[in-house]
């Protein structure tokens, strides 16, 4: 079994009052934020106090800038052999595992035509199972996709997940249906950092059976609401509230 690590949802530093954004009219599943990668510095280089060698030209100093990845797949590829594929259970240095695993995993676990986007409601748009669809407990429900941005890039997006040491996945303007998953204090899915076909992925797993026309939700966590400066409006409580783990002082009504 692959090592499971809970992702920190939305590394959010937004201080401004909250507004529900309109969804993009057309969503591209994933793309690279090319300009950001061209100018992004590697985190360890950024704070480095190493003296610049005598005679070093401006051009060679620019080598400290991260090399822009060419494709999303290059960026997400596992480095080293310690990651285990959720599909075939091979480790990331074994030749038997690769893109085919990723494609097969998606085909097997994410049938099309299961999810509806509904709204806007009180929490904006939301993701629901279609009539007649039931998702069993433990099933992989979807993959979080979006624009792949350097970890050092500005973080004001509320659609951002981090893959530690790799990149941030920001679904503000690119993504799939999972960008519409709202937060709930009694959620029915949970996000995990996983590896499929030598690729880092963020997957949502069903915490219980999800019935037809049920809203799919995960818990963004107390920190999200604390930083965003508004309360959780889910129906686990009658009034808007701070989810467990948030400090009481900062939340204010939306
Ligand atoms: C990842 S988006 C979810 C999709 C969003 N509803 C939309 O229409 O695009 C996160 C945003 O949805 C809203 N939201 C989601 N869950 C919420 C909750 N439990 N309470 C209040 N606002 C919520 C907030 O506007 C939040 O910034
Ligand atoms: Zn595999
Ligand atoms: Zn809540």
């Amino acid at each position: 079994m692959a090592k499971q690590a809970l992702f920190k949802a939305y590394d959010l530093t937004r201080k401004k009052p909250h507004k529900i954004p309109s969804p993009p009219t057309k969503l591209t599943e994933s793309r690279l934020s090319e300009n950001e990668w061209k100018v992004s510095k590697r985190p360890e280089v950024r704070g480095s106090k190493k003296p610049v060698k005598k005679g070093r030209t401006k051009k060679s100093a620019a080598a400290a800038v991260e090399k822009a990845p060419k494709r999303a797949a290059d960026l997400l590829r596992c480095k080293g052999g310690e990651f285990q594929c959720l599909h075939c259970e091979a480790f990331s240095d074994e030749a038997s595992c690769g893109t085919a695993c990723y494609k097969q995993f998606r085909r097997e676990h994410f049938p099309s035509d299961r999810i509806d986007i509904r709204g806007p409601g009180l929490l904006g748009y939301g993701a629901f199972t279609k009539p007649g669809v039931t998702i069993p407990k433990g099933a992989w429900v979807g993959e979080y996709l979006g624009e792949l941005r350097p970890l050092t890039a500005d973080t004001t997006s509320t659609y951002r997940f981090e893959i530690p040491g790799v990149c941030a996945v920001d679904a503000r303007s690119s993504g799939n249906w999972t960008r519409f998953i709202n937060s709930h204090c009694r959620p029915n899915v949970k996000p995990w950092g996983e590896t499929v076909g030598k690729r880092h992925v963020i997957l949502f797993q069903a915490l219980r059976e999800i019935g037809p026309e049920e809203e799919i939700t995960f818990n963004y966590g107390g920190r999200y609401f604390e930083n965003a400066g508004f309360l959780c409006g889910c129906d686990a409580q009658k009034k808007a509230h701070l989810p467990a783990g948030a400090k009481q002082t900062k939340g204010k009504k939306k």
Side-chain angles (χ1 to χ4, degrees):
M1 183 67 181
K3 193 177 159 249
Q4 293 187 320
L6 181 61
F7 269 84
K8 187 170 69 174
Y10 302 103
D11 180 18
L12 184 73
T13 53
R14 186 171 64 151
K15 299 276 187 302
K16 294 213 170 108
H18 168 73
K19 268 197 209 133
I20 291 172
S22 325
T25 46
K26 194 170 165 247
L27 276 173
T28 309
E29 283 213 330
S30 71
R31 67 186 179 95
L32 285 163
S33 176
E34 277 174 38
N35 286 338
E36 275 182 346
W37 282 104
K38 270 182 205 147
V39 297
S40 80
K41 301 236 169 60
R42 290 185 199 97
E44 68 276 15
V45 173
R46 207 182 216 181
S48 160
K49 296 233 169 16
K50 271 188 194 164
V52 178
K53 272 189 208 153
K54 226 183 153 190
R56 203 175 177 194
T57 62
K58 262 194 177 168
K59 205 175 168 191
S60 61
V65 170
E66 195 145 15
K67 206 171 164 221
K70 288 211 168 56
R71 298 177 314 145
D74 297 338
L75 181 62
L76 294 174
R77 188 169 303 130
C78 300
K79 294 180 180 81
E82 84 253 39
F83 302 95
Q84 197 177 7
C85 175
L86 195 60
H87 183 71
C88 74
E89 299 191 347
F91 281 90
S92 42
D93 54 358
E94 292 178 51
S96 56
C97 176
T99 311
C101 279
Y102 179 72
K103 287 187 179 162
Q104 224 175 312
F105 180 87
R106 283 177 57 114
R107 260 198 309 271
E108 257 174 45
H109 294 272
F110 310 147
S112 58
D113 236 30
R114 271 205 305 193
I115 307 294
D116 269 340
I117 304 304
R118 297 187 185 174
L122 283 177
L123 310 179
Y125 292 83
F128 292 74
T129 44
K130 286 196 174 204
V133 170
T134 298
I135 298 177
K137 180 178 175 179
W140 296 108
V141 176
E143 179 182 357
Y144 196 78
L145 297 168
E147 188 172 10
L148 304 178
R149 306 177 67 190
L151 288 165
T152 48
D154 177 36
T155 65
T156 54
S157 172
T158 55
Y159 291 80
R160 182 183 154 104
F161 266 91
E162 284 190 3
I163 302 180
V166 180
C167 66
V169 182
D170 184 351
R172 183 166 41 183
S173 56
S174 303
N176 61 356
W177 68 268
T178 61
R179 77 184 289 290
F180 294 104
I181 302 179
N182 287 322
S183 183
H184 203 284
C185 294
R186 289 200 300 266
N188 52 19
V189 302
K190 186 170 180 171
W192 297 96
E194 282 292 348
T195 303
V196 182
K198 296 185 181 170
R199 189 183 295 208
H200 297 286
V201 289
I202 300 164
L203 301 178
F204 292 98
Q205 186 175 36
L207 292 168
R208 56 167 174 80
E209 184 178 280
I210 305 171
E213 299 191 68
E214 232 192 279
E215 180 165 9
I216 295 181
T217 57
F218 75 96
N219 192 339
Y220 294 1
R223 277 266 299 280
Y224 176 96
F225 289 94
E226 211 184 292
N227 291 334
F230 60 82
L231 298 174
C232 176
C234 86
D235 60 10
Q237 293 186 32
K238 282 191 182 136
K239 286 186 180 165
H241 50 275
L242 273 174
K247 286 190 198 118
Q248 291 295 320
T249 47
K250 283 193 183 167
K252 54 180 189 270
K253 205 169 178 347
K254 212 165 125 185

